[in-house]
Amino acid sequence: MGSHDVGDGARRWFDVADAVPLLLDAHGVVTSWTRDAERLFGYVAAEAVGMDLAGLLTVGDATRMPDVLELCRRSGGWAGLLSARRKDRQPVPVMARFTSADEPGGPGRWLVLVNEMGEAHGWSMSRSVLEQMVAGSPIGIAIVDTDLRFVWSNETLAQFGGGAPASRLGLRLADVQPGFDAEAVEARMRQVLETGEAVVGYEHVGRLRAAPFRETAHMLSFTRLDDDRHRPMGVYYTVVDITDRHRARQRLALLDRAGRHIGRSLDTARTAQELAEVVVPGFADAVAVDLLESVLRGAEPVVERAEAPDGSVALRRAGLRSAGGGAQDGAAAVVSHPAGSPAVGCLTTGLAWRAERLGPDAADVNPYLPPVGAGAGPPSALIVPVRARGATLGVTTFLRRSTQEPFDEDDLTLAEDLVSRAAVCLDNARRYTRERDAALVLQRSLLPHRLPEQEAVEVAACYRPADTLTGLGGDWYDLIPLSGARVALVVGEVQGHGIDAAAAMGRLRTAVRTLAALELPPDEVLAHLDDLVSRAQEDGEAPEEGDGEPAQAVGAVGAGCLYVVYDPVDGRCAMAAAGHPAPAVVLPDGTITFVDLPQGPPLGAGGPPFESAELVLPEGSTLALHTDGLLSQGEPWTPEAGRERLVRALTARADSLDLRCRTVIDALVPARPRDDVALLMARTRRLSPDRVAQWELPADPAAVAEARKAAARRLADWDLAELAFTTELVVSELVTNAIRYATGPIRLRLIRERALVCEVHDGGATTPHVRHPRTTDEGGRGLLLVSQVTRRWGTRFVPEGKIIWAEQSLTDPEV
């Protein structure tokens, strides 16, 4: 145990009743030894006399003895704690006091009084010493009796309110601190009185009379005081102001809550509302988040000056929360901030603004201040710009009612931190809105807005992407009108999701439409499409100039496609598939089957040639063309199980084909599917026989005149006499060319649908083309005339030869 010096003022209370006296010479050598010293140290007088005092101490204190003796010579004495060493080498803590024992004219001597400390904790303190300690303590201290009435308190406690110590005597806590939650504190005191167990670290948050507008936090500890008979005398308690620590915890909790609740979606307005809801009522009594209109649209932040001559700035109120009103009262309104107002200043400078109390011109701060609740006085206000990535998106106004403590600099720092966190989420939402809008524009440009009107089939389509954020996918559907009142139905899918798959899908859809215009059979359309994908893949193997990575090909390798051609004249349906499931057919009697369709390889994968299947569909049959995703959403994931689920969904009745299509999708596909899903349903129609006229013609030039007369008579029957001249010209030119240049039987057919179609069939295998004859040429003007007087014309090949057709528009929708 090391030695401890004690100041001179403490020597007055040194108790000498039980002290062991030692007499030392001027050099610290023992010259006198008593029986008490023998009992304390274990040495007899013969052993101790003549021994240096340092030999009776532990090593640490022995080295200090020369300094102690020097201090005694200068000041006349010394007192302090020492660690003595008994004869058995055991240390003994002692209290020692050195006093001069010099005699006039004699040698210098020192009287040392030694007290064994034993179980003592230190000095025996007098009341005055203890009072000095507690009175000067920075901690509030008080003692209450068993009735919880003050019997003593220190001056520090008065800093927490309630008056001076003398004014507290005989009163209870509720008497000196009105409005304070005295019941909770006194409940702790009673608990301590009853159990004797101390309560340490009890936190109390409330408002004191000394600071009615300020919420304070205190930490209290309670200890029971007992008399000599261990009977409770009262409670001793301490109070420490932890308001700063409490506020720091509140700020951290608010920031944590903001991190968990702001930015949970990529919706700009919802994110602004989340900011408002997080800070009310914990930090502010009302909050308004006003954003630039361009931010809500997803565009770059642009400050738009209102058309008013005062140059005010119009913002959109995106978030609003008030302790005195509804969560959304006034939200989404346009708020016009006057020029020169603090809000406009925050927008232009990017710096926050604070007012401890708003003045009478509060409307200039924000013309649409939300209600802040109770309190007739002016509120305190903060306006913080919403800034992210160097751009200002808007402003946030915080209000605190007059019954609350005004915003201070720490509050401003916290508000800026909260708004900056929310600003990043708002900017992410803005960027997402911009990118999603661009993606949706791309998707809308790739998928048909509406399927074209025609009379071959009644159609309905549904599309549900796996990427629900962007709404983009690689599946597509299409309906393409063909010549002769026929239509092509297309469903396809590209592997993957998102914008890359959508771009690849768009290229494939464009390619299919281009190939459909060639009037090729389904298997040949897929063969040409397969060649296109394969060539694009080969071209993509070489890196582009300046690019270290291989250029991306069409991105459609492995894609699937189902191509169907339906003819409403005879009900024939031809189809071919490339790595795609066969369609389901719902017959008019409700029977559901799947087409026995030869499966070709996926596009670009290589393999055997594609094959077509042909069947005749009764009128009123429904084709269900779909992508793989429709069958793979449920459990188990097998083609057979998927087909069974599809059959059950198709048996459900619906009032319309559109409703039936949506019912099938809702029954088989969840809101967030694993794969993109496209479904195209087509209910077949037949053209009535009286809308089709057909004539077999001999290969004789005289048949041209008979063909013109027959066509004119049929147009008169159809009330289309106004088209007789043009039709006769078209029939004359097409039949003449067939007789002159082709072989085999010649057939003329007129079809009255949404257009008047004139078809001439012959056995030739060559494609006619438009010539531009010179003025002196006697022929070669037939097809040129046909192209000039009709809406469109073309050639398609059939197994028996070819068909040259031309269409004229029927402007009367009732025809």
Side-chain angles (χ1 to χ4, degrees):
M1 178 176 176
S3 62
H4 303 276
D5 294 341
V6 181
D8 295 338
R11 298 172 184 168
R12 297 192 302 272
W13 299 286
F14 188 86
D15 191 357
V16 299
D18 298 323
V20 175
L22 300 176
L23 194 61
L24 306 178
D25 65 11
H27 303 289
V29 177
V30 177
T31 59
S32 176
W33 196 256
T34 64
R35 289 185 179 273
D36 290 335
E38 181 179 338
R39 176 184 55 78
L40 177 62
F41 291 96
Y43 295 96
V44 298
E47 295 173 322
V49 174
M51 182 183 294
D52 195 312
L53 179 62
L56 298 175
L57 303 176
T58 58
V59 176
D61 283 350
T63 59
R64 294 189 67 243
M65 285 313 299
D67 295 334
V68 171
L69 294 175
E70 178 62 28
L71 185 61
C72 288
R73 283 191 288 269
R74 290 201 310 266
S75 58
W78 178 86
L81 297 175
L82 294 173
S83 180
R85 185 176 61 184
R86 296 171 56 88
K87 184 177 180 181
D88 59 6
R89 317 299 290 180
Q90 293 298 317
V92 180
V94 297
M95 177 74 74
R97 178 181 176 185
F98 287 70
T99 304
S100 176
D102 296 346
E103 294 182 357
R109 293 187 299 176
W110 297 102
L111 174 63
V112 182
L113 299 177
V114 180
N115 273 58
E116 183 179 3
M117 299 301 294
E119 299 297 327
H121 299 292
W123 292 350
S124 297
M125 299 293 184
S126 66
R127 174 173 178 172
S128 61
V129 172
L130 294 175
E131 287 183 348
Q132 290 180 61
M133 292 174 57
V134 296
S137 172
I139 299 174
I141 303 174
I143 298 175
V144 298
D145 60 16
T146 54
D147 292 330
L148 307 185
R149 297 183 179 276
F150 285 98
V151 297
W152 181 88
S153 62
N154 66 352
E155 291 289 346
T156 305
L157 192 65
Q159 298 177 6
F160 303 107
S167 64
R168 293 174 180 265
L169 296 177
L171 302 178
R172 293 175 58 167
L173 184 60
D175 299 327
V176 299
Q177 289 282 22
F180 192 73
D181 187 10
E183 292 184 2
V185 176
E186 290 186 346
R188 297 298 185 279
M189 295 181 183
R190 293 190 183 94
Q191 174 187 342
V192 172
L193 282 172
E194 293 171 2
T195 65
E197 297 180 359
V199 173
V200 179
Y202 170 71
E203 291 191 15
H204 180 273
V205 179
R207 296 175 185 270
L208 302 177
R209 184 170 61 177
F213 296 153
R214 182 174 184 263
E215 185 179 70
T216 57
H218 300 93
M219 179 184 293
L220 296 90
S221 296
F222 306 92
T223 305
R224 192 174 76 180
L225 297 176
D226 297 338
D227 60 15
D228 294 339
R229 298 181 181 181
H230 303 289
R231 293 177 301 185
M233 296 173 54
V235 175
Y236 160 84
Y237 74 90
T238 60
V239 184
V240 179
D241 189 338
I242 59 168
T243 302
D244 291 341
R245 188 193 315 173
H246 172 69
R247 288 190 172 184
R249 285 203 306 263
Q250 283 185 317
R251 290 186 173 97
L252 290 176
L254 182 58
L255 291 173
D256 177 68
R257 188 163 67 251
R260 288 184 287 109
H261 291 87
I262 297 177
R264 291 177 294 180
S265 71
L266 288 172
D267 181 86
T268 308
R270 182 175 177 183
T271 301
Q273 183 62 28
E274 288 169 348
L275 168 61
E277 292 177 352
V278 160
V279 298
V280 174
F283 176 73
D285 294 305
V287 172
V289 184
D290 300 334
L291 299 179
L292 296 168
E293 188 74 38
S294 57
V295 172
L296 293 171
R297 296 196 307 266
E300 292 298 321
V302 176
V303 177
E304 300 174 355
R305 297 281 177 176
E307 296 181 359
D310 60 359
S312 58
V313 176
L315 300 177
R316 178 72 65 174
R317 179 145 293 173
L320 179 65
R321 181 76 178 182
S322 173
Q328 284 286 91
D329 293 347
V334 175
V335 181
S336 183
H337 292 271
S341 64
V344 174
C346 291
L347 278 175
T348 55
T349 65
L351 301 177
W353 178 87
R354 178 173 69 92
E356 290 192 3
R357 295 296 177 197
L358 294 180
D361 56 346
D364 293 338
V365 175
N366 192 321
Y368 301 96
L369 289 175
V372 294
S380 180
L382 291 176
I383 300 181
V384 179
V386 182
R387 288 182 57 81
R389 300 179 177 95
T392 302
L393 312 180
V395 294
T396 302
T397 303
F398 300 86
L399 296 177
R400 188 177 284 174
R401 61 179 180 265
S402 58
T403 56
Q404 299 282 355
E405 187 178 15
F407 290 117
D408 57 19
E409 287 296 331
D410 290 340
D411 293 326
L412 178 58
T413 301
L414 177 59
E416 289 176 329
D417 197 357
L418 287 169
V419 173
S420 66
R421 295 185 180 206
V424 175
C425 299
L426 287 168
D427 195 54
N428 289 340
R430 177 191 67 83
R431 290 167 179 260
Y432 166 74
T433 300
R434 180 186 63 190
E435 298 302 327
R436 186 173 186 272
D437 288 346
L440 291 177
V441 169
L442 173 63
Q443 184 75 356
R444 285 193 295 265
S445 68
L446 298 178
L447 290 176
H449 296 281
R450 59 183 181 85
L451 297 174
E453 297 181 358
Q454 36 72 46
E455 295 190 9
V457 290
E458 177 188 357
V459 290
C462 286
Y463 177 76
R464 186 167 293 178
D467 189 348
T468 56
L469 287 178
T470 63
L472 294 175
D475 291 10
W476 89 93
Y477 58 87
D478 210 346
L479 184 147
I480 307 171
L482 302 176
S483 64
R486 301 170 307 134
V487 292
L489 304 171
V490 188
V491 168
E493 57 184 320
V494 173
Q495 295 178 350
H497 314 293
I499 195 167
D500 292 335
M505 172 269 285
R507 291 190 287 267
L508 273 185
R509 177 173 178 256
T510 301
V512 170
R513 280 184 158 265
T514 301
L515 292 171
L518 301 178
E519 302 279 0
L520 300 174
D523 55 335
E524 293 188 29
V525 169
L526 294 184
H528 285 290
L529 193 62
D530 182 72
D531 290 340
L532 173 67
V533 173
S534 297
R535 287 197 304 271
Q537 174 69 9
E538 294 173 0
D539 294 342
E541 292 178 355
E544 295 181 354
E545 184 178 355
D547 191 358
E549 297 182 359
Q552 292 295 323
V554 172
V557 174
C561 184
L562 173 65
Y563 189 85
V564 179
V565 175
Y566 174 71
D567 189 342
V569 175
D570 53 12
R572 291 186 179 276
C573 184
M575 64 184 70
H580 201 89
V585 179
V586 184
L587 297 176
D589 61 1
T591 303
I592 300 175
T593 62
F594 289 87
V595 178
D596 185 11
L597 180 63
Q599 277 295 315
L603 298 175
F610 299 100
E611 298 182 44
S612 291
E614 189 172 298
L615 63 157
V616 177
L617 295 176
E619 185 174 10
S621 301
T622 301
L623 279 168
L625 289 73
H626 59 85
T627 55
D628 276 339
L630 189 68
L631 305 181
S632 62
Q633 301 298 326
E635 298 288 346
W637 294 1
T638 63
E640 294 75 15
R643 284 189 171 191
E644 291 176 3
R645 289 190 292 268
L646 177 58
V647 168
R648 289 194 297 270
L650 288 172
T651 56
R653 298 294 179 182
D655 295 335
S656 66
L657 190 62
D658 280 330
L659 183 58
R660 189 174 193 181
C661 187
R662 289 195 298 271
T663 300
V664 172
I665 289 289
D666 292 338
L668 299 181
V669 183
R672 299 177 66 90
R674 292 187 297 267
D675 193 11
D676 303 327
V677 176
L679 173 64
L680 178 64
M681 300 185 72
R683 182 178 294 149
T684 61
R685 297 173 177 147
R686 288 283 188 94
L687 292 181
S688 61
D690 62 351
R691 300 178 69 177
V692 179
Q694 181 171 296
W695 298 274
E696 298 289 339
L697 302 175
D700 183 354
V704 176
E706 292 298 327
R708 288 199 302 267
K709 294 178 182 178
R713 287 194 297 269
R714 180 49 59 99
L715 292 182
D717 295 340
W718 286 343
D719 295 329
L720 297 177
E722 68 276 9
L723 299 180
F725 176 79
T726 304
T727 305
E728 288 183 31
L729 175 61
V730 171
V731 169
S732 177
E733 293 297 336
L734 296 184
V735 172
T736 299
N737 282 343
I739 294 174
R740 180 177 300 174
Y741 301 110
T743 60
I746 300 174
R747 185 182 306 114
L748 170 64
R749 186 169 71 167
L750 296 180
I751 301 174
R752 177 176 172 264
E753 193 223 12
R754 290 181 178 271
L756 179 62
V757 182
C758 177
E759 296 181 343
V760 175
H761 173 275
D762 61 51
T766 59
T767 302
H769 60 277
V770 176
R771 295 173 56 191
H772 297 275
R774 294 173 301 209
T775 306
T776 56
D777 290 344
E778 296 182 0
R781 295 179 175 84
L783 289 181
L784 180 60
L785 290 174
V786 170
S787 66
Q788 295 294 320
V789 299
T790 59
R791 184 175 63 181
R792 60 176 188 152
W793 72 279
T795 304
R796 70 175 183 270
F797 290 91
V798 294
E800 302 83 7
K802 69 175 183 296
I803 296 175
I804 304 177
W805 55 269
E807 286 185 4
Q808 299 177 71
S809 176
L810 300 180
T811 56
D812 186 356
E814 299 298 328
V815 175

